Amino acid sequence: MSLERFINQAVSSWMSAEGPDSDIILSSRIRLARNISQFKFPILFSNDEAKSVIHKIKERVDDTSFTRLGNMELLLMDELQPLQKRVLMEKHLISPYLAENSSYGACLLSENEELSIMINEEDHIRIQCLFPGFQLLEALEVANEIDDWLEEKVDYAFDENIGYLTSCPTNVGTGLRASVMMHLPGLVLTQQINRIIPAINQLGLVVRGIYGEGSEALGNIFQVSNQLTLGKSEIDIVEDLKSVVSQLISQERSAREALEKTSNIQLEDRVFRSFGILSNSRIIESKEAARCLSDVRLGIDMGYLSNISKNILNELMILTQPGFLQQYAGGPLRPHERDIRRASLIRERLKMENQ
Amino acid sequence: MICQECNQRPATLHFTKIVNAEKAEYHLCEKCAQEKGDMFMLSGPAGFSINNLLAGLLNMDPTVQKKEQDTFQEEKVLQCDQCSMTFQQFIKIGRFGCAHCYKAFEEQLKPIIRRLHSGNSSHIGKIPARIGGSLHLKKNIEELKYQLKDSISKEEFERAAEIRDEIRLLESQLNTNLGGGK
């Protein structure tokens, strides 16, 4: 398969860099956790109950489809190859838990992949909307519509006092988790991020790197999300997150301005070195690739590099993960072979820009 | 031996922690050991996750521990009558077995939920349209009463009168709804 066709098939709409504030915010996500009152939660339910959950939701989809997002496809985890599951996971469309540990796990996926409904994950239903750029309220609106549409036929587990009942008490109440994925190279380079993360944590929000392990954030990409789900309305939760994220955006912008003023040539050098590595290397590990992609994206945003599309960071961070590389190669790859594949995929992708 | 944390009480718990081949010995009294509970958790097995953290949090709750002792004395195990999950099991895995568990463990849960959600214990967000029923009206009335107070304190009495009328209208609706349900 040609790379261009592979990418066209692999890229979800949220990976495009076309949303508001997309120079810093890669994507916005809303997740609602819901359960059906008549069945036990997935950690305890019987196989029959598990099947009934899928059946109920399938019935709802067949009955009147939710037209706004086009056709929905039902994917049963048991019927997917491990590699297919891995690819869905790397695109953030399903959780690792659904792919690996769920029994009778399934996923309803919209055509443009902006909406996925996970079935029989930790909760019976997890509605997830993933939009490009800074569009939390828009994503919340769509998630709410899907929620209402499901609720017309499905009896939710709900309590007057404590709200939507979830398997884990950390989700009870609204069942809402709102998050944004941010590219913050300016705050990392100026070392402000170490000061900012604890401050944000104190506001009841969580900041973490989404690629890489532990506290390191590969590609300077961070996820900011709400921690509390009870005692605040959905709008308030999202507005609170929005206001903190807006401040982060302006801090990142001023960090970039400061960098341009104080170390213009060093920054330009860094961007072009990274561009050189990406365009020429024959073996590249994911860590180095992530670092260089972040530099190149910063270079594009700050005008050092032109004629390269902004999507490059979003796209290649996803496409150079092990699952995708193996799918592109058409078979399993050892780590060393992956590094070679990754380098060649990046080189080819950059060549497409120059055509 | 004296507890190395508080240097006051005698150390009753002794344990050795080995991280990356580095050995550290701890001698603590019961009280300090409870406060340091996270140390036991964080040195746990490789599959460490949010569940463990949560389970740790639940275990450390003094009211929970007291309740457990009480139930043991009565030889009665606290259990959800719908899915048979016991409170002990819930504490261990940090997950409920079914929606009814929230009712079954209601008393024990209150402090836990409050701790997890910064002191909040009641839902003020979305209400499902179909099964929510009269709850929507109730919440609306609450919201309006709040607005009423607000406009009185700002001395916007015309606006307050409008809100008052609206509340009366909703309350009469609520009464007819409840009456109809009987």
Side-chain angles (χ1 to χ4, degrees), chain B:
Chain B
M1 191 178 275
I2 301 289
C3 168
Q4 66 184 57
E5 271 299 303
C6 61
N7 289 322
Q8 285 173 3
R9 290 173 289 266
T12 50
L13 287 162
H14 311 275
F15 68 97
T16 311
K17 182 162 118 175
I18 301 174
V19 177
N20 298 334
E22 286 224 28
K23 196 166 142 186
E25 282 187 4
Y26 295 88
H27 307 280
L28 303 169
C29 68
E30 206 153 342
K31 192 153 181 284
C32 294
Q34 266 203 9
E35 281 166 12
K36 294 217 109 191
D38 56 321
M39 249 163 35
F40 298 87
M41 292 308 303
L42 290 172
S43 53
F48 178 77
S49 70
I50 182 80
N51 298 8
N52 302 83
L53 255 186
L54 183 65
L57 188 67
L58 303 178
N59 271 320
M60 291 312 294
D61 194 319
T63 58
V64 169
Q65 292 192 335
K66 222 169 126 208
K67 270 274 160 7
E68 277 165 36
Q69 281 161 13
D70 289 351
T71 47
F72 278 129
Q73 276 160 13
E74 293 163 21
E75 289 197 344
K76 205 179 108 192
V77 178
L78 189 60
Q79 192 172 31
C80 171
D81 52 13
Q82 304 256 314
C83 69
S84 335
M85 179 174 270
T86 64
F87 191 62
Q88 283 280 345
Q89 282 173 317
F90 162 68
I91 283 179
K92 209 167 161 196
I93 57 176
R95 298 284 185 280
F96 295 109
C98 71
H100 186 73
C101 289
Y102 280 93
K103 276 267 172 282
F105 308 144
E106 197 176 5
E107 280 306 307
Q108 287 74 9
L109 275 178
K110 274 180 188 162
I112 295 170
I113 299 256
R114 235 180 266 130
R115 187 182 304 182
L116 286 172
H117 297 278
S118 290
N120 296 318
S121 56
S122 49
H123 176 60
I124 39 173
K126 188 172 179 177
I127 299 162
R130 203 164 43 82
I131 61 168
S134 58
L135 200 56
H136 280 282
L137 286 173
K138 278 192 213 162
K139 292 256 171 178
N140 269 346
I141 293 170
E142 259 171 50
E143 168 71 22
L144 285 170
K145 279 184 178 161
Y146 179 77
Q147 286 180 20
L148 182 66
K149 250 191 196 163
D150 192 49
S151 39
I152 290 173
S153 69
K154 287 182 190 156
E155 302 192 3
E156 297 166 350
F157 297 115
E158 273 180 36
R159 171 91 187 107
E162 282 170 27
I163 296 172
R164 184 203 56 209
D165 292 344
E166 223 174 310
I167 293 175
R168 280 190 188 156
L169 184 76
L170 288 178
E171 276 176 342
S172 68
Q173 267 183 34
L174 187 65
N175 285 336
T176 42
N177 272 8
L178 291 178
K182 273 176 193 169

Side-chain angles (χ1 to χ4, degrees), chain A residues 190-201:
Chain A
T190 55
Q191 295 181 347
Q192 293 180 68
I193 197 79
N194 301 327
R195 188 173 52 77
I196 288 171
I197 289 179
I200 293 178
N201 288 341

